[in-house]
């Protein structure tokens, strides 16, 4: 009877501590776990092959833009500065106004010089016409001189005949010595008058030749030209155009759309021609230079799509672009002190080559970037 109660605690202890699982159940659990791991691995491999295979990325990328350096093309004192740093401007907006008093004086002087050149051309053309008229008048004078010479020759011939007749009559006593003397004097006078007439013809011809040379010289100044094409007039007009251009340049306008930065000009400051006064960054035309390792560029081609993100907007804003070019050399090749690898103490360092990425203009208008911002760039080398 004393041994019967001891059997009850043994049965209760058996209920509190169940028997461990069998080896078959443990093996089944490990098999299920292995299958799950394999499925996850296959799914990850498929996802990577579909979405990530052929993609190269870098976080060494920076926003750039072909900034416009605004310089003054004329010297003078600044009277107005109409923009400030960080201000958006449109192409053609007035940025700076320079005192134009000197430019206005130069413009008025150039206008007067043009009118003077035109007037001088008119005088030269008139002189050419006058010279031609003089040549024609000298021809009439030559005709008159030759007529006088003809008359003088006739007079010489008449007085010669009269002198010969008197000489014959003196021998017969029909004419007196006084008549002979008068006839000889008339003949000598006629001969002298003929000499003067001949000299008059020669002088008239010489005068006509001189007038002809003057006419040729005057016509040479205007031959083949008009008041618009004459050299002096053209030179004066060019000076007037330059004066107008200099006057127009006293108002400095924005060459492109963009943001004003690095403004270096103040009202009252006297600036010299060629001095930089500010920079305009055309953020609407920003691009990205992504520095990829040379080992990443094996399959990168121009035209391939690029996805980019910036810390400026976060991962929620994704920019899309295209590869448009490769730099002509690595960053180290164009550094201030290029690496010298010919010393023998050479250790290979993977180089980076800048890749130019052009961004979508619509995305840039929606989310403007600034020059110098860092970007994360991913190129899909399978895309075209």
């Amino acid at each position: 009877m004393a041994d019967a109660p001891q059997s009850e605690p043994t049965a209760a202890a058996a209920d509190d501590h169940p028997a461990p699982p069998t080896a078959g159940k443990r093996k089944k659990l490990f098999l299920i776990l292995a299958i799950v791991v394999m499925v996850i691995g296959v799914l990850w491999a498929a996802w990577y092959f579909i979405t990530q295979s052929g993609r190269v990325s870098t976080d060494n990328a920076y926003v750039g833009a072909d900034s416009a350096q605004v310089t003054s093309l004329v010297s003078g004192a600044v009277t107005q500065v109409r923009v400030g740093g960080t201000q958006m401007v449109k192409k053609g907006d007035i940025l700076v106004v320079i005192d134009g008093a000197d430019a206005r004086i130069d413009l008025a002087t150039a206008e007067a010089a043009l009118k003077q050149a035109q007037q001088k051309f008119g005088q030269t053309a008139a002189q050419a016409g006058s010279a031609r008229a003089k040549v024609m008048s000298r021809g009439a004078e030559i005709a008159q001189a030759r007529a006088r010479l003809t008359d003088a020759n006739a007079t010489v011939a008449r007085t010669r005949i009269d002198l010969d007749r008197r000489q014959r009559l003196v021998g017969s006593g029909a004419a007196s010595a006084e008549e002979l003397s008068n006839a000889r004097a008339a003949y000598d006078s006629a001969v002298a008058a003929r000499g003067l007439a001949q000299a008059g013809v020669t002088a008239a011809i010489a005068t006509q030749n001189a007038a002809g040379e003057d006419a040729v010289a005057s016509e040479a100044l205007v031959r083949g030209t008009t008041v618009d094409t004459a050299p002096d007039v053209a030179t004066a007009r060019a000076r007037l155009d330059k004066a107008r251009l200099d006057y127009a340049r006293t108002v400095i306008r924005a060459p492109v759309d963009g943001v004003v930065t690095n403004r270096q000009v103040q009202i009252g400051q006297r600036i010299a021609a060629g001095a930089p006064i500010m920079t305009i960054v055309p953020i609407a035309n920003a691009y990205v230079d992504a520095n990829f390792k040379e080992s990443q560029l094996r399959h990168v081609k121009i035209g391939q799509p690029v996805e980019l993100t910036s810390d400026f907007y976060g991962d929620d804003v994704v920019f899309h672009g295209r590869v448009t070019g490769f730099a002509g050399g690595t960053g180290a090749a164009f550094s201030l002190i290029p690496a010298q690898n010919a010393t023998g103490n050479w250790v290979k360092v993977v180089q980076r080559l800048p890749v130019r990425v052009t961004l979508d203009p619509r995305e840039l208008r929606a989310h403007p970037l600034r020059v110098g911002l860092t970007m994360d760039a991913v190129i899909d080398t399978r895309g075209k």
Side-chain angles (χ1 to χ4, degrees), residues 43-107:
L43 292 176
W44 183 87
W47 172 84
Y48 181 84
F49 178 79
I50 294 173
T51 63
Q52 303 300 316
S53 178
R55 292 163 65 92
V56 292
S57 63
T58 182
D59 58 359
N60 189 353
Y62 303 91
V63 178
D66 295 327
S67 302
Q69 183 101 33
V70 180
T71 60
S72 174
L73 299 179
V74 295
S75 60
V78 177
T79 58
Q80 298 180 40
V81 179
R82 298 192 180 182
V83 295
T86 73
Q87 181 175 337
M88 284 288 300
V89 295
K90 295 291 185 180
K91 182 178 180 180
D93 289 351
I94 296 177
L95 305 177
V96 176
V97 178
I98 299 175
D99 184 12
D102 294 339
R104 283 193 296 270
I105 294 174
D106 293 340
L107 179 58

Side-chain angles (χ1 to χ4, degrees), residues 20 87 127-128 134 141 144-145 184 188 197 202 210 253 271 302 306 323 329 372 381:
Q87 181 175 337
Q127 289 175 356
K134 287 182 180 179
E141 291 178 358
Q144 293 176 359
R184 183 175 285 109
D188 293 340
T202 303
R253 300 179 181 272
I271 57 178
I302 292 177
V306 185
V323 175
T381 60

Side-chain angles (χ1 to χ4, degrees), residues 170-214:
V170 167
S172 61
S176 63
E178 183 179 358
E179 291 177 340
L180 178 61
S181 177
N182 291 336
R184 183 175 285 109
Y187 174 73
D188 293 340
S189 178
V191 171
R194 182 180 64 181
L196 290 175
Q198 182 64 48
V201 171
T202 303
I205 293 174
T207 302
Q208 185 188 43
N209 291 337
E213 292 177 355
D214 291 340

Side-chain angles (χ1 to χ4, degrees), residues 311-327:
D311 292 340
F312 190 70
Y313 291 107
D315 295 338
D316 294 336
V317 177
V318 178
F319 294 89
H320 297 84
R322 293 277 176 179
V323 175
T324 55
F326 300 88

Side-chain angles (χ1 to χ4, degrees), residues 102-164:
D102 294 339
R104 283 193 296 270
I105 294 174
D106 293 340
L107 179 58
T109 302
E111 289 175 346
L114 176 60
K115 293 179 180 179
Q116 185 177 12
Q118 292 172 337
Q119 184 181 29
K120 185 177 180 181
F121 178 83
Q123 292 176 347
T124 303
Q127 289 175 356
S130 176
R132 286 192 294 269
K134 287 182 180 179
V135 172
M136 295 178 64
S137 66
R138 293 296 182 265
E141 291 178 358
I142 291 174
Q144 293 176 359
R146 286 175 175 170
R148 287 193 293 269
L149 177 59
T150 300
D151 182 67
N153 287 332
T155 302
V156 169
R158 188 182 67 253
T159 55
R160 179 64 185 173
I161 293 172
D162 186 56
L163 176 61
D164 292 342

